[in-house]
């Protein structure tokens, strides 16, 4: 079915063999349909399709510019590399939801649409802008974001949402559906917005959220129920606590033993 759809498009480059290749400037669409392809020094004035023919294998773009949309349908958990590459819209829809896309060098990507599970990872040697805003589909997926992200959001839906793991920083995270959110290794979210349809969202892990705007019911953070409205900085994990005399939550303290009284010496008459 996919090949039939591709046949209806204007395909200027069809890569069916593994190896390194440079296409120069291509006025039209390019299809990569085989694993272990390294596409270098190419300008695609159209769309780029990384298809199911890649299967669980690898593909790499190096010095590539795509003016249209890049569609990812193939690749495995170690697979799609973007090095010194410029992409517009990036749409990921891997059938089994297991694909890793990593950015390195001067790579800059526009908006990323996640229609399946995936890992987006920014390499430690990244000098470019990396991944742009991330839009998550409302269908439940397993998503991992590793790096520095500006805005991440999911559409409003009562459907139980994704498993989302963050390793790094996110400027603004908007959740529109029930989500299991894990912050890893002291990750940071500057602003978390929970819409009314994000009820029963659970937040856990190790990290911090600077501000929270919660409009949903049944939200928990670190296993503790979160009130509606605005909340200031919250750090995970939540420390064990007990109510103090003022009704606020305070740390649990262990009273020390009371020393036994020592009898005063009895005066002796002289």
């Amino acid at each position: 079915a996919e090949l039939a759809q591709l046949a209806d498009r204007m395909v200027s480059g069809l890569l069916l063999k593994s190896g390194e290749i440079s296409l120069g400037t291509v006025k039209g669409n390019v299809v990569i349909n085989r694993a272990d392809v390294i596409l270098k020094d190419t300008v695609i004035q159209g769309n780029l399709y990384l298809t199911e023919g890649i299967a669980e294998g690898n593909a790499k773009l190096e010095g590539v510019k795509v003016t249209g949309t890049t569609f990812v349908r193939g690749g495995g958990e170690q697979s799609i590399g973007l090095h010194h590459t410029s992409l517009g819209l990036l749409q990921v829809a891997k059938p089994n939801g297991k694909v890793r896309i990593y950015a390195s060098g001067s790579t800059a990507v526009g908006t990323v649409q996640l229609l399946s599970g995936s890992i987006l990872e920014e390499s430690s040697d990244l000098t470019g802008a990396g991944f742009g805003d991330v839009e998550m589909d409302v269908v439940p997926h397993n998503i991992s974001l590793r790096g520095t992200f500006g805005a991440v959001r999911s559409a409003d839906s009562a459907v139980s949402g994704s498993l989302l793991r963050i390793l790094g920083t996110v400027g603004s995270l908007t959740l529109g559906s029930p989500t299991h959110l894990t912050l890893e290794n002291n990750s940071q979210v500057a602003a978390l917005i929970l819409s009314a349809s994000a009820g029963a969202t659970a937040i856990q892990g190790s990290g911090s959220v600077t501000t929270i705007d919660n409009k949903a019911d049944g939200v928990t953070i670190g296993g503790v129920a979160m009130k509606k409205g605005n909340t200031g900085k919250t750090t995970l994990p939540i420390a064990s606590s007990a109510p103090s005399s003022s009704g606020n939550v305070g740390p649990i303290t262990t009273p020390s033993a009371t020393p036994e009284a020592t009898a005063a010496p009895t005066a002796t008459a002289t």
Side-chain angles (χ1 to χ4, degrees), residues 72-97:
V72 175
R73 303 292 186 269
E77 294 182 271
Q78 303 296 327
S79 58
I80 308 299
L82 310 175
H83 187 60
H84 296 316
T85 288
S86 174
L87 303 181
L89 176 65
L90 172 62
Q91 187 186 95
V92 183
K94 175 75 185 301
N96 68 1

Side-chain angles (χ1 to χ4, degrees), residues 202-228:
I203 306 165
Q204 64 180 23
S206 168
S208 64
V209 183
T210 304
T211 63
I212 302 174
D213 180 7
N214 179 32
K215 300 179 178 68
D217 294 313
V219 176
T220 61
I221 183 165
V224 178
M226 180 188 298
K227 65 180 182 180
K228 283 186 174 181

